[in-house]
Amino acid sequence: MIPWQLFVAVIATLHSTTSAEQLPLKGPYTPYPWIHKFASLGDSYAAGLGAGSRIDWLCSRYNESYPNILHTSFLGHHPKRTHQFLACTGAASTEIAEKQASALQDDLDLLTISAGGNDVGLTVILNNCIYQFFMAGEDDCDLAIQDARERIANKTQLYKNVTQLFDAVKPKMNKDHGVVYVTGYAGFFGTDDELCNNVTWAVWKAVESSQKSQYLTLDRRVALDSLVRSVNIVLRQAAEAAGPNFHFIDYDAHIKASRGRYCESGVLEPAPNRRELDFYEWDTVDTGENRTELQHETGDDVPKGSFEGGIAERINKTLQEHPDWEWDPDKGFVNKSKTGVGGKGEEGEMGVVGDTISWMLPDSWKRVFHLRPRAHALIAELILEDLRSREAGRRKVVPDEGPGEGEHAELRR
Ligand SMILES: *[C@@H]1O[C@H](CO)[C@@H](O)[C@H](O)[C@H]1NC(C)=O
Ligand SMILES: *[C@@H]1O[C@H](CO)[C@@H](O)[C@H](O)[C@H]1NC(C)=O
Ligand SMILES: *[C@@H]1O[C@H](CO)[C@@H](O)[C@H](O)[C@H]1NC(C)=O
Ligand SMILES: *[C@@H]1O[C@H](CO)[C@@H](O)[C@H](O)[C@H]1NC(C)=O
Ligand SMILES: *[C@@H]1O[C@H](CO)[C@@H](O)[C@H](O)[C@H]1NC(C)=O
Ligand SMILES: *[C@@H]1O[C@H](CO)[C@@H](O)[C@H](O)[C@H]1NC(C)=O
Ligand SMILES: *[C@@H]1O[C@H](CO)[C@@H](O)[C@H](O)[C@H]1NC(C)=O
């Protein structure tokens, strides 16, 4: 028997290289005939912020996100399958329950959910501990980490909120076979050596400031990874408690095994275009992307409440407080009066900032700490693997669907 994986690979290839008219007359094989209604909920990790091309502005949904590639290729051909792509950048689980779950169709066969990162304040931590888009005080990183730890540990916070989200989607699932995949997060940093200890990604580091830049020290990296793992543990527990049709997808170990994190052993950051890197870094350029456009053009305005909007607001706030600081795409953030670039005469340009905040942020900066396409493909593959094993289980217990019969019937069509 030909392995499932091969079918899926062949179908994926067909989809990506040929247009509909070029497909053979014989209908392609349908590996999951029972999945008619597919939907995906969640935050920027499900929206796929930055991966591929943007297919929705307000929520920053991208076409290489795991939900989109599941529907367009990984799940294989199915003429009747629909996908409600509801994930939205910046959403926490309460908002996902209120705005996204309520929009779900009934009788869903497959649902994916990514939630929890915004509940514990991932963006605040990124700001206070890594990039300092707004120059927070020295203690603000530790405070943000402490706050996240409390939200994770407190059963009436993260656990309760994701549980409410899971409860909200239950009535929307097909009673017999509806299946829900809850995807987690992955630790961001390698923690095997101290090479990154003297590295800072603080964006205003070039200007003189009374605030100290944050560094990617080993302690800091260990603390941030441990937060991610704790979020995953809560998500797994909540998914297990939600019932037998909820499954947690843990890809953390895979990202680690393939050296996909920042500061992997022997890697001195910045190394934004290391092939194995699974997260976007300042100046990462994916295959097929235009380096010049990404690094020097700022694209459209960014939506309020989104991940990118959060960065923009913080930088705006900084510039309001320090009108003599400016962003120069070729040189990074510089103190204009100090370096003499442009000179005081151009201060009037600061007025532009208020209206079009994105003007000063190159596109390649707006997706940091989010997954690159290869990591989305990994998540999609792990979901498929689980579906396959369940499919095999179903065939064992349902005799009239005998092993492989469905496949061959489909193939002969
Ligand atoms: C995403 O969009 C880009 C640009 O249109 C295209 O090259 C790529 O094949 C698309 N990927 C998927 C998975 O559809
Ligand atoms: C959980 O939801 C409540 C109500 O919306 C909110 O006040 C609280 O901040 C949320 N907790 C977390 C960890 O998101
Ligand atoms: C847990 O969070 C709730 C708010 O949801 C708060 O009232 C309570 O004091 C917190 N418990 C602890 C131990 O921090
Ligand atoms: C950081 O440390 C490494 C190894 O000791 C060294 O090669 C590198 O130049 C240092 N970087 C900075 C910015 O000091
Ligand atoms: C910018 O440079 C000028 C001239 O050296 C200096 O007076 C000013 O304090 C600097 N501003 C900041 C925020 O570092
Ligand atoms: C990349 O974009 C720039 C600016 O739009 C353009 O001039 C250049 O031709 C593009 N390069 C490629 C290889 O498409
Ligand atoms: C930038 O900050 C100013 C002053 O705080 C505010 O009026 C303006 O709305 C902000 N712009 C954006 C895009 O956040």
Side-chain angles (χ1 to χ4, degrees):
M1 226 172 68
I2 308 171
W4 288 83
Q5 218 149 346
L6 185 59
F7 282 126
V8 175
V10 166
I11 286 152
T13 310
L14 280 175
H15 273 258
S16 60
T17 57
T18 57
S19 71
E21 305 90 81
Q22 291 170 303
L23 284 172
L25 283 176
K26 264 192 294 182
Y29 162 63
T30 302
Y32 304 99
W34 56 277
I35 304 180
H36 291 255
K37 290 184 176 179
F38 166 41
S40 50
L41 304 184
D43 52 24
S44 55
Y45 268 57
L49 177 64
S53 55
R54 188 154 70 180
I55 53 182
D56 169 274
W57 182 77
L58 198 60
C59 285
S60 304
R61 296 184 196 119
Y62 280 70
N63 77 339
E64 306 267 357
S65 58
Y66 73 83
N68 194 59
I69 59 176
L70 271 172
H71 179 60
T72 58
S73 69
F74 280 64
L75 282 170
H77 177 80
H78 194 324
K80 294 213 184 91
R81 188 175 60 238
T82 58
H83 176 209
Q84 272 189 294
F85 194 1
L86 299 172
C88 200
T89 300
S93 38
T94 306
E95 187 186 350
I96 297 169
E98 282 165 6
K99 293 195 184 153
Q100 299 178 24
S102 60
L104 287 172
Q105 295 180 32
D106 290 323
D107 205 27
L108 292 173
D109 303 305
L110 174 66
L111 176 68
T112 62
I113 304 178
S114 167
N118 291 319
D119 297 47
V120 306
L122 177 66
T123 314
V124 179
I125 291 172
L126 277 190
N127 180 64
N128 294 5
C129 303
I130 312 277
Y131 292 112
Q132 297 174 285
F133 301 111
F134 176 68
M135 270 294 206
E138 215 171 322
D139 296 338
D140 290 8
C141 171
D142 291 332
L143 289 174
I145 291 178
Q146 192 51 40
D147 184 48
R149 281 190 186 133
E150 279 163 22
R151 288 163 186 245
I152 296 165
N154 188 331
K155 283 277 175 195
T156 71
Q157 293 275 331
L158 176 64
Y159 183 86
K160 184 180 170 202
N161 289 11
V162 297
T163 296
Q164 281 173 348
L165 167 60
F166 296 168
D167 286 343
V169 306
K170 280 179 195 168
K172 306 283 190 170
M173 302 308 299
N174 178 288
K175 298 287 169 289
D176 301 320
H177 61 244
V179 57
V180 181
Y181 286 102
V182 177
T183 58
Y185 300 88
F188 299 113
F189 294 102
T191 52
D192 294 328
D193 64 30
E194 305 206 324
L195 260 187
C196 278
N197 279 21
N198 65 358
V199 172
T200 177
W201 285 347
V203 294
W204 301 102
K205 61 175 182 260
V207 299
E208 279 170 34
S209 161
S210 55
Q211 309 285 9
K212 280 217 188 101
S213 295
Q214 300 282 351
Y215 284 82
L216 303 179
T217 61
L218 187 55
D219 284 354
R220 180 62 48 79
R221 285 179 269 138
V222 167
L224 296 180
D225 283 356
S226 140
L227 273 188
V228 172
R229 268 194 302 276
S230 311
V231 170
N232 280 352
I233 289 169
V234 171
L235 292 174
R236 182 189 290 279
Q237 286 170 346
E240 278 169 5
N245 58 338
F246 281 72
H247 308 292
F248 180 65
I249 297 291
D250 194 347
Y251 55 94
D252 180 48
H254 294 80
I255 302 275
K256 179 181 179 181
S258 59
R259 290 172 56 80
R261 305 163 302 176
Y262 309 117
C263 300
E264 290 289 357
S265 60
V267 174
L268 179 62
E269 297 289 352
N273 289 297
R274 195 165 55 87
R275 206 166 45 88
E276 296 84 3
L277 184 64
D278 279 315
F279 296 101
Y280 288 107
E281 187 171 326
W282 246 208
D283 290 343
T284 298
V285 180
D286 281 330
T287 313
E289 289 183 334
N290 182 326
R291 180 177 300 269
T292 314
E293 282 185 359
L294 264 180
Q295 296 181 350
H296 300 281
E297 294 185 14
T298 57
D300 304 330
D301 285 358
V302 289
K304 277 211 164 88
S306 65
F307 174 78
E308 314 96 297
I311 297 177
E313 271 170 33
R314 287 177 169 90
I315 290 184
N316 182 36
K317 201 169 149 195
T318 303
L319 285 170
Q320 300 290 335
E321 290 186 11
H322 305 279
D324 57 333
W325 295 5
E326 81 156 6
W327 153 238
D328 177 334
D330 291 322
K331 296 187 175 67
F333 291 91
V334 296
N335 178 344
K336 202 154 83 173
S337 29
K338 186 174 182 178
T339 62
V341 178
K344 289 252 176 200
E346 277 174 37
E347 258 177 16
E349 286 195 0
M350 286 298 140
V352 180
V353 172
D355 302 311
T356 55
I357 189 74
S358 62
W359 176 74
M360 42 194 310
L361 283 173
D363 276 343
S364 81
W365 293 31
K366 294 172 189 161
R367 56 187 185 181
V368 290
F369 277 72
H370 285 80
L371 299 171
R372 295 175 74 184
R374 199 185 62 163
H376 282 283
L378 165 68
I379 297 172
E381 181 53 38
L382 290 174
I383 290 173
L384 270 199
E385 259 174 33
D386 194 88
L387 277 173
R388 269 182 227 123
S389 67
R390 276 162 218 292
E391 199 90 340
R394 266 155 43 117
R395 273 191 237 101
K396 266 182 217 132
V397 294
V398 186
D400 60 357
E401 265 184 39
E405 261 181 34
E407 301 166 24
H408 290 280
E410 290 288 341
L411 272 179
R412 279 196 302 268
R413 279 200 299 126

